[in-house]
């Protein structure tokens, strides 16, 4: 069964600290896609990053970076030099290719609430 | 504003009443999704459309729930005979539907409270 687990319920850091959000996933598919979304208090989920299962190269995009490891089924997300505006709920999500192509349907984790204090 | 629009933002209703939500996706997007999110949880998939065709429905979508996308543009989600357990945030999302790893664009949601 497909499942996404975010073990950290809440994280609190002080501005300018680096923070890593953990994500562990389960899937039987060999082709799948992983995402991170941010949900600020306004409620609208905002796309942050994505990674394909066949590309384990880790990248940095501005203050965001991610560590994808298939061997441990983990897709961790790091914010460098956190800012107060980063305070939000962060969701890891899984999308499977499926036999008939990708439906775009996302399976979300429970979310991690990040509070960045000034 | 060219984002996903949802109406209303908040809905308070009494148990047993019917409610209908509307979602206007980004205009060129072929796919439209409905999700439900309860407090402290991640969004859960309910159903999705490719143009006007409803292609998949979750087990969460009981027979009291019905969704339509009549002309492949806006969509409505109706809940009949609401129950207190229906209280949640209902999120709509859309996408182009052209690539396998494409991102979804979400609306701000409709918060439903059933009294």
């Amino acid at each position: 069964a497909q499942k996404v687990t975010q073990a950290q319920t809440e994280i609190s850091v002080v501005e300018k600290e680096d923070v890593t959000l953990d994500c562990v996933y389960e899937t039987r598919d060999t082709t799948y896609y992983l995402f991170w979304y941010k949900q600020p208090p306004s409620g609208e989920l905002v796309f942050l990053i994505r990674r394909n299962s066949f590309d384990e190269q880790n990248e940095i995009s501005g203050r965001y970076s991610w560590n994808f490891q298939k061997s441990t089924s983990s897709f961790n997300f790091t914010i460098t030099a956190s800012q107060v505006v980063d305070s939000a709920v962060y969701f890891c999500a899984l999308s499977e290719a499926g036999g008939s192509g990708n439906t775009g349907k996302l399976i979300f984790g429970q979310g991690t609430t990040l509070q960045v204090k000034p | 504003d060219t984002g996903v629009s949802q109406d209303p933002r908040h809905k308070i209703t009494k148990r047993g009443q019917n409610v209908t939500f509307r979602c206007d996706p980004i205009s060129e997007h072929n796919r439209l999704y409905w999700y439900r999110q309860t407090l402290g949880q991640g969004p859960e998939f309910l159903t999705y459309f490719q143009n006007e065709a409803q292609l998949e429905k979750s087990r969460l979508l009981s027979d009291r729930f019905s969704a339509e996308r009549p002309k492949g543009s806006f969509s409505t989600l109706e809940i009949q005979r609401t129950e207190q357990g229906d209280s949640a945030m209902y999120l709509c999302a859309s996408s182009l539907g052209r690539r396998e790893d494409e991102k979804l664009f979400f609306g701000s949601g409709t918060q439903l409270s059933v009294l």
Side-chain angles (χ1 to χ4, degrees):
Chain A
Q2 314 127 14
K3 186 178 180 182
V4 176
T5 302
Q6 296 177 250
Q8 305 152 307
T9 304
E10 294 184 20
I11 299 177
S12 181
V13 299
V14 177
E15 203 170 21
K16 298 185 182 177
E17 286 184 11
D18 298 347
V19 57
T20 295
L21 309 180
D22 298 335
C23 173
V24 174
Y25 61 92
E26 296 175 30
T27 178
R28 288 175 292 187
D29 269 20
T30 55
T31 301
Y32 51 89
Y33 310 93
L34 296 163
F35 302 78
W36 277 94
Y37 281 80
K38 172 183 178 180
Q39 188 175 40
S42 61
E44 180 179 332
L45 282 102
V46 178
F47 166 83
L48 296 176
I49 58 174
R50 64 186 151 201
R51 177 54 63 193
N52 305 324
S53 58
F54 41 87
D55 183 359
E56 287 192 73
Q57 182 178 0
N58 295 310
E59 294 185 12
I60 297 174
S61 176
R63 295 189 298 113
Y64 300 154
S65 63
W66 50 95
N67 187 342
F68 174 38
Q69 294 193 348
K70 289 180 75 171
S71 61
T72 56
S73 298
S74 65
F75 184 51
N76 298 336
F77 173 63
T78 297
I79 302 174
T80 303
S82 60
Q83 301 173 2
V84 172
V85 293
D86 295 328
S87 297
V89 183
Y90 289 80
F91 291 97
C92 180
L94 166 71
S95 176
E96 296 182 335
S100 57
N102 186 289
T103 66
K105 182 177 73 174
L106 296 175
I107 308 300
F108 285 88
Q110 305 93 315
T112 297
T113 300
L114 173 64
Q115 183 181 33
V116 181
K117 298 178 181 178
Chain B
D1 184 7
T2 58
V4 177
S5 177
Q6 291 189 246
D7 184 70
R9 286 281 279 142
H10 299 92
K11 179 70 177 179
I12 300 174
T13 191
K14 293 182 178 179
R15 186 165 50 97
Q17 297 293 305
N18 299 343
V19 294
T20 300
F21 312 140
R22 177 179 170 123
C23 171
D24 287 273
I26 295 172
S27 60
E28 64 268 25
H29 283 187
N30 297 318
R31 287 187 176 170
L32 186 147
Y33 304 80
W34 285 99
Y35 283 81
R36 181 172 70 186
Q37 184 178 21
T38 54
L39 194 62
Q41 299 297 316
E44 296 174 297
F45 171 79
L46 292 179
T47 188
Y48 93 98
F49 293 82
Q50 175 79 32
N51 299 312
E52 66 274 11
Q54 188 174 18
L55 296 186
E56 186 174 343
K57 293 193 289 186
S58 163
R59 293 172 301 172
L60 296 174
L61 214 63
S62 75
D63 55 7
R64 295 185 299 104
F65 289 71
S66 63
E68 294 183 345
R69 194 183 183 196
K71 296 182 180 179
S73 56
F74 73 92
S75 175
T76 58
L77 177 67
E78 181 183 15
I79 308 175
Q80 296 182 327
R81 306 181 302 281
T82 53
E83 302 173 355
Q84 289 185 327
D86 297 331
S87 295
M89 173 78 83
Y90 290 84
L91 294 165
C92 177
S94 69
S95 70
L96 283 167
R98 293 178 190 166
R99 52 182 287 177
E100 290 202 335
D101 64 342
E102 67 181 11
K103 58 188 179 185
L104 302 188
F105 292 81
F106 283 83
S108 297
T110 294
Q111 182 67 54
L112 174 65
S113 298
V114 181
L115 305 178

